[in-house]
Structures are given as C-alpha cells and as structure tokens.
Amino acid sequence: MIDGTQIKVVLAHDWLTGMRGGERVLEYLCRMFPRAPIYTLVYNPAAVSDVINRHPVKTSWLQKIPGAFKYYRSFLPFFPGAIEGLRVEEPADLVISLSHCVAKGLIPPAGARHLCYCFTPMRYAWVFYGEYFGSNPLKKATLAPVLRRLRQWDKASSARVDSFVTLSEHVRKRIGDFYNREAAVVYPPVDLSFWKPAGGAPAGRPGDYDLVVSALVPYKRIDIAVRAYTQSGFPLKIAGGGPESRKLKRLAGKNIVFLGRVTDGQLLELYRNCRALVFPGEEDFGIVPVEAQACGRPVVAYARGGALETVADGATGVFFEQQDEKSLLAAVEKCAAARWDAEVIRANAARFSGQNFIAGLRANIMKCLEG
C-alpha cells in the first residue's frame, strides 16, 4: 500500500492555466500526495482549483514573461529547455509527471524514480500538424525544423522515464510507435458522484436539443457539427470557448446557440437535459463523452481515437465513420430514432470511476518503485 505521507513525491505538469481534463487528473494526484510540490512551466493561481493551489508550485523562467498566461504557447520551441532548466529542490523517491508536451522532461533528483502519466506524445510535433498550425506553405516551411527538433527531444527525453502509464489503448500504441516504449493503460477518472442524472436516477426522456462541449479549436472539428446542424435545423447548444468562436458563429444557423464557457453546475444541467452529446473530433481519450454517459445520455461520436474505448456502439451511443456533415447527420438521425436505456449508459461510465483510476495508478507506482 502506498502512503502519500511516507514516500516523497514530486509532481510535474505542463502548465497550469485552466481546469481541463489534465488538471482534473492532477487533482487526484494532489489528493493522493497532499505534500507533493508541483513543477510546471507557467502557473495562474486564479485559473486552477483550490485542490491544486494548496500545493507549492515551482515555475520556469517563462513565468516572468509579461502575458505568459495568455501567450505561453508562442514559446513552444523554448519549452524543452525551460522544463529541463527547472531543478527539483526537494529530496524525492518518485517523480510523477502528467505530460502531453514537455512535463516528462523534468530531470529527477539523484536516486528518484520517474513515472510518466502520458496523455500523449506531443501531438503537434508527431500528428495533427495541420489541425494545430494550418496548411500555409510558408508557415509549414518555417516550422518544419522547429518541429523536427521537438520530435528529437521528445523521443530522447522519453528515455529518462522509468515507467509509462497512459490514458487509452489508442495512446499506448502511439507511445510504442514514437518512443519505442511499453505503457500500461489506466483510464482517467470521472467524478460519478457529481456527473449523474437528476435525482440520482437515470432519465430516459430525450431533450429538445443536442449538445457539444469542447474547446473551440481547429482539431476538435466543431465546424462539422455546426454545418450539419445548420443544415438539419435541429437545436444545438455549444458550450466552450476558444479562437475558433468567431469563425464558427459565422457558419452557424439560428438554431445553434453558443454558450461560451460554463460552470460545472451549468454543464451538469446541459448534460442531463440534452437529447444526445455530439463528439465530432478525434481525441486521445475524451472525458466529455464519459461525463455525458454518467448523466445517462447517449453519445454520437467520430469512430476514431479514445471514443472507441469509452462509447459502446448501439448500447450507449452511435459512431460515424467519415468526418463530414453527411456521415454525422446520419448518425444523429439513428441516435434520435433509437430507444436508449439510461441505466445501461450510466453503468458504462462507471468503468471510469475515480476508485478504478486510483487503484490502477497505485499498482503502477508500486511497480515503478520496485524497479
């Protein structure tokens, strides 16, 4: 049994500028190891939870740059040097990095083991280049040497990790392909005590709108849903903000409502009362479909990535094979015509409980410490 007060643990996270899926996972680690310091590139205390803020946070030199919280992504080429420049000041038995960019590059103190919970190898360096940076030839030529160096560093720094754990079979394969390393799969947690149907009992009634919950960035492919629902005329609510907001609003018909960023309480009600959640992008895991299913609602998802592991086709949702409006609309119509058992949908989400996450992570920590 691992006692978080007896072993000395250091946590590392890429950046702390908001509460997304990665930060929700970090919260579990913070509770497991209440004395652990957190090392990160940049840190905005106002943007993260009290659970995280209770820990001492050590930042890189990027923290001193004016506007770092907003523009830190512009310093991507400097991230490897910034994380390696951080020096772990405390004695440690174990470093646990939660990494989708460079956190795994934190250099552990002498004698410490390093377990990386890898959300993914750098997606913008290895895959999804166009989705992140666009297809402008000049921009592509300018960034090509930068991304090549990032790939080289990403693979080289992976050799310093003692044990890899990841969030899906989809990413486990990517770690094998890019790092030539094995990884255990421990699915990330969803808070089943919070994400639940009204009154605690799954409701079978369909709502009068469908729902998208997402950051409005290109690779999420929210444009497909906007075009499809503008064509169909059925009400669609979109929760989330991001740089694609203006573009998507120009594409949208009057039946589409952009809610912007919403609180967890507001999101809970949106999940509970929607007809279905629409998930048009390819994700490494994707916590949103699990939250919707925990509330008893079916999911219409693109049949790639983590959704194949979280949604049961025909039992808790419907997949579409082509990332276009026609394929999405056919799946939406199939979903709307089906009779769904909300209890079955809720039970599927229970596979991703916090208890299962903690048990799986503890087992892998023990293996890592044993060497």
Side-chain angles (χ1 to χ4, degrees), residues 121-308:
M122 278 192 215
R123 280 183 298 188
Y124 21 84
W126 295 100
V127 294
F128 297 151
Y129 168 86
E131 288 83 349
Y132 278 96
F133 300 112
S135 56
N136 182 289
L138 180 59
K139 190 174 185 180
K140 185 176 181 179
T142 303
L143 287 172
V146 174
L147 296 177
R148 183 169 59 251
R149 287 194 295 272
L150 285 173
R151 286 192 294 271
Q152 291 168 348
W153 178 89
D154 197 34
K155 184 170 183 178
S157 63
S158 72
R160 300 201 295 259
V161 173
D162 295 299
S163 299
F164 275 101
V165 181
T166 191
L167 75 180
S168 68
E169 292 291 340
H170 180 62
V171 177
R172 185 190 67 79
K173 182 179 183 303
R174 195 180 288 167
I175 290 170
D177 290 342
F178 299 151
Y179 296 163
N180 196 27
R181 295 290 302 274
E182 291 294 326
V185 175
V186 176
Y187 288 124
V190 65
D191 185 353
L192 296 170
S193 66
F194 181 80
W195 304 110
K196 59 184 179 182
R205 62 178 180 81
D208 58 1
Y209 62 90
D210 289 342
L211 179 65
V212 166
V213 179
S214 177
L216 304 184
V217 293
Y219 85 92
K220 301 283 188 178
R221 298 310 313 271
I222 308 305
D223 59 305
I224 297 171
V226 169
R227 289 189 177 94
Y229 278 81
T230 297
Q231 179 180 332
S232 74
F234 190 81
L236 177 70
K237 295 184 179 183
I238 299 176
E244 290 280 284
S245 179
R246 288 186 180 180
K247 175 183 174 181
L248 293 171
K249 287 177 180 178
R250 288 196 296 268
L251 295 174
K254 294 181 179 180
N255 58 308
I256 299 176
V257 178
F258 289 83
L259 302 171
R261 293 180 175 87
V262 298
T263 66
D264 284 351
Q266 292 170 326
L267 183 56
L268 177 62
E269 293 307 310
L270 288 167
Y271 281 141
R272 285 173 169 176
N273 296 297
C274 71
R275 183 179 69 168
L277 177 86
V278 178
F279 196 68
E282 178 182 337
E283 291 282 359
D284 302 320
F285 176 76
I287 201 70
V288 165
V290 181
E291 292 173 349
Q293 290 173 90
C295 295
R297 307 317 304 156
V299 177
V300 176
Y302 179 48
R304 299 291 186 277
L308 293 173

Side-chain angles (χ1 to χ4, degrees), residues 319-330:
F319 288 121
F320 61 99
E321 294 290 338
Q322 304 298 322
Q323 244 178 349
D324 58 37
E325 297 92 286
K326 181 179 179 181
S327 186
L328 172 58
L329 282 176

